[in-house]
Amino acid sequence: MNAMSHKPVEGFSKLSKQGKIDWIVNEYLEGSEEFQTILKQYWNENPQLQKLHEEFSENTISNFYMPYGIAPNFLIDGKLLALPMAVEESSVVAAASKAAKFWLDKGGFKTTIINTKKLGHTHFIIDVEPHKLQHFFNFKLKQKLLEATEDITRNMRNRGGGILNIRLIDKTAEMENYYQLKASFDTVDSMGANFINSCLEQFGKTLREEVLKHEDFTSEEKNSLQIVMNILSNFTPDCIVRAEVSCKIDELNDDSGISNEEFATKFKRAVTIAEIEPFRATTHNKGIMNGVDAVVIATGNDFRATEACAHAYAAKDGKYTSLTHCTIDDGVFRFWIDLPISVGVVGGLTNLHPLVKFSLALLGKPSAQELMSILAVSGLAQNFGALRSLVTTGIQKGHMKMHLLNILNQMGASEEEKQHFVTYFKDKTVSHHEVISEFNRIRSSQN
């Protein structure tokens, strides 16, 4: 294909929605009426609601649906909850629900907020002796930074949050003349990205002003200052929640036909493998994030930030490892996760998206800390469900049964045929090849 077989477009963002669609369909899809129809099928019938969705992002031409499911029976810190999950992968909601039910009569899930500190940095370059810069920071700059952001932080301080601390970090050993202003924040019930970034941008301005005014810096030192960027960090190792389950081994009753002791031993071994083997840890943590992200999306939070933070935390000691851990001591099975996660229940989509409002109402209008707990529990439950399958029946049994419907839908199977297949695979492992063979056999016997 010729790399320039299509023409670039000028002013695409200024076109109407229909104008954008016409250009896309004519330029890339040979004017297909079918594709025009597909895009419009997903518009909301309510024009105001459709407009609301379109304004969440740029150049919007349609909505992209994901299944919105419910995982019931979650007993979290003594409260019984049903979790909203927006996820397209089969068996995620089923596994979470099954794990929730398993722990329901064993005391449920317990959580602890370990910390709620969030971080951001002003990254800058200056050719100054480190001790001289530190002295300037300690005796002058730090106070000026706090004063300069008083207007920005007032509302957050009134809600019990604000700037917790600011430190000067010397990074000159890793890059010439590189320093950071590293600030920690408490953003209460908001995720706080805009608040943090506004504070940091003010830090950058105040840093420049104060360096230029400071009498102890030479003109060369002043001229060497470059503010590189002011930006929050999505790595929040001090904004962390622990979720755990535990019970006596003789209460672990698993219906897989193996003894409680064998189940506990196999389960712990599977977690240990994820702790020591990065190839396994990656898939293990991906499964945890199936549970976390589904609720993050349903509550209008940023799942990319959640993912980036979790994986950075999993690698914080120089080797990528499991986010969950398991012990068996004195006949007690204990399974837990320490999850660094920064989310909000005010601001962003949370006040706008009707389904997000529904999710938060369903969860009893949680605080940001309570939502952190719910997310950690969802991840732990998902991981428990996956490991339970892996060490007993194997993951494919449940997974392929869900996949079976996807295959049959692709082949245009009738409801009657779908029922036949559910019965056919009751005692067999589903394989793509076997589905096709049996489908062809049925269809040819009908002719």
Side-chain angles (χ1 to χ4, degrees):
M1 182 180 159
N2 178 351
M4 282 299 282
S5 60
H6 297 292
K7 296 184 198 74
V9 60
E10 282 289 328
F12 182 72
S13 64
K14 294 183 177 66
L15 295 175
S16 67
K17 180 169 61 171
Q18 189 58 54
K20 290 184 181 83
I21 291 170
D22 290 341
W23 183 80
I24 285 282
V25 169
N26 291 326
E27 185 68 27
Y28 287 95
L29 302 162
E30 298 168 348
S32 161
E33 279 299 316
E34 182 197 352
F35 285 123
Q36 284 261 7
T37 307
I38 285 171
L39 292 173
K40 290 173 186 175
Q41 273 177 338
Y42 286 93
W43 292 359
N44 198 289
E45 287 171 9
N46 177 334
Q48 283 173 299
L49 189 56
Q50 180 56 37
K51 191 166 186 295
L52 178 74
H53 281 285
E54 284 166 14
E55 289 174 357
F56 290 151
S57 185
E58 301 81 34
N59 294 346
T60 307
I61 58 172
S62 192
N63 307 313
F64 187 89
Y65 285 7
M66 280 171 77
Y68 179 94
I70 299 293
N73 300 321
F74 272 88
L75 183 60
I76 304 175
D77 299 323
K79 277 188 199 163
L80 193 60
L81 296 175
L83 305 195
M85 302 183 89
V87 64
E88 84 304 336
E89 185 174 331
S90 57
S91 63
V92 170
V93 178
S97 306
K98 198 173 173 187
K101 200 166 182 190
F102 181 92
W103 288 103
L104 188 57
D105 61 356
K106 300 174 181 68
F109 298 83
K110 308 278 193 298
T111 73
T112 316
I113 301 291
I114 296 173
N115 213 322
T116 57
K117 195 188 292 180
K118 297 167 190 181
L119 301 170
H121 303 79
T122 288
H123 302 267
F124 67 101
I125 304 289
I126 190 167
D127 188 1
V128 170
E129 283 292 322
H131 66 88
K132 191 173 175 181
L133 189 64
Q134 187 69 58
H135 188 270
F136 162 69
F137 174 79
N138 291 346
F139 292 98
K140 187 167 189 189
L141 181 64
K142 186 174 180 179
Q143 189 54 38
K144 292 283 186 187
L145 295 172
L146 293 169
E147 286 166 13
T149 49
E150 274 180 356
D151 286 349
I152 303 171
T153 63
R154 184 173 291 111
N155 286 343
M156 192 64 81
R157 280 185 281 123
N158 290 342
R159 296 206 301 271
I163 299 168
L164 299 172
N165 194 15
I166 312 168
R167 291 165 56 214
L168 175 70
I169 307 292
D170 181 348
K171 286 280 186 177
T172 54
E174 289 155 87
M175 185 167 132
E176 195 177 14
N177 301 329
Y178 169 37
Y179 297 88
Q180 301 168 350
L181 296 175
K182 180 181 183 179
S184 54
F185 303 84
D186 182 347
T187 61
V188 199
D189 278 338
S190 66
M191 193 259 177
N194 290 333
F195 167 74
I196 292 172
N197 286 337
S198 297
C199 290
L200 294 169
E201 287 188 359
Q202 184 58 54
F203 287 177
K205 287 180 195 158
T206 304
L207 171 64
R208 180 178 299 287
E209 288 163 11
E210 293 303 320
V211 164
L212 293 177
K213 281 197 297 201
H214 191 53
E215 292 161 4
D216 290 351
F217 291 149
T218 65
S219 56
E220 287 82 6
E221 288 171 337
K222 289 176 182 181
N223 290 336
S224 72
L225 175 68
Q226 292 172 49
I227 312 291
V228 181
M229 53 187 160
N230 309 288
I231 183 74
L232 91 163
S233 173
N234 284 126
F235 184 34
T236 53
D238 295 323
C239 186
I240 202 157
V241 56
R242 174 171 294 169
E244 62 183 289
V245 285
S246 64
C247 69
K248 292 186 174 139
I249 288 176
D250 54 22
E251 292 169 5
L252 262 177
N253 303 325
D254 190 76
D255 54 11
S256 59
I258 61 174
S259 73
N260 293 355
E261 287 76 14
E262 190 184 351
F263 173 76
T265 305
K266 281 184 159 184
F267 190 98
K268 181 178 184 299
R269 193 179 295 140
V271 176
T272 306
I273 287 170
E275 287 172 333
I276 62 174
E277 172 49 74
F279 283 93
R280 173 60 201 138
T282 304
T283 313
H284 176 96
N285 289 344
K286 186 268 178 189
I288 291 169
M289 299 314 286
N290 279 343
V292 175
D293 286 348
V295 184
V296 167
I297 294 168
T299 57
N301 276 283
D302 183 346
F303 73 93
R304 284 91 37 195
T306 302
E307 284 279 340
C309 183
H311 297 302
Y313 188 78
K316 73 182 189 313
D317 296 325
K319 180 183 174 183
Y320 188 87
T321 184
S322 167
L323 289 165
T324 53
H325 308 283
C326 181
T327 55
I328 302 170
D329 286 321
D330 299 327
V332 173
F333 172 90
R334 180 170 172 253
F335 180 51
W336 76 96
I337 184 169
D338 286 346
L339 187 70
I341 192 158
S342 172
V343 287
V345 293
V346 297
L349 285 191
T350 56
N351 309 85
L352 293 171
H353 196 304
L355 263 180
V356 168
K357 288 183 186 174
F358 178 92
S359 296
L360 293 170
L362 174 66
L363 294 171
K365 300 200 171 158
S367 66
Q369 292 192 17
E370 285 167 334
L371 184 56
M372 284 169 68
S373 290
I374 290 164
L375 292 165
V377 164
S378 185
L380 188 70
Q382 195 63 42
N383 195 220
F384 180 81
L387 291 175
R388 186 183 178 194
S389 292
L390 277 170
V391 302
T392 54
T393 56
I395 203 84
Q396 285 304 84
K397 190 179 174 194
H399 207 70
M400 289 306 285
K401 286 237 164 105
M402 295 292 291
H403 192 48
L404 174 62
L405 290 178
N406 290 344
I407 300 169
L408 293 172
N409 282 333
Q410 277 172 7
M411 294 168 74
S414 67
E415 287 307 311
E416 201 179 340
E417 285 168 336
K418 287 179 190 174
Q419 274 312 114
H420 166 81
F421 274 93
V422 169
T423 311
Y424 180 83
F425 282 110
K426 213 170 188 71
D427 306 311
K428 294 188 181 74
T429 301
V430 178
S431 75
H432 196 273
H433 177 263
E434 185 76 4
V435 176
I436 306 287
S437 302
E438 179 63 7
F439 190 81
N440 292 337
R441 191 190 67 73
I442 295 171
R443 285 282 165 103
S444 59
S445 70
Q446 288 168 353
N447 295 335

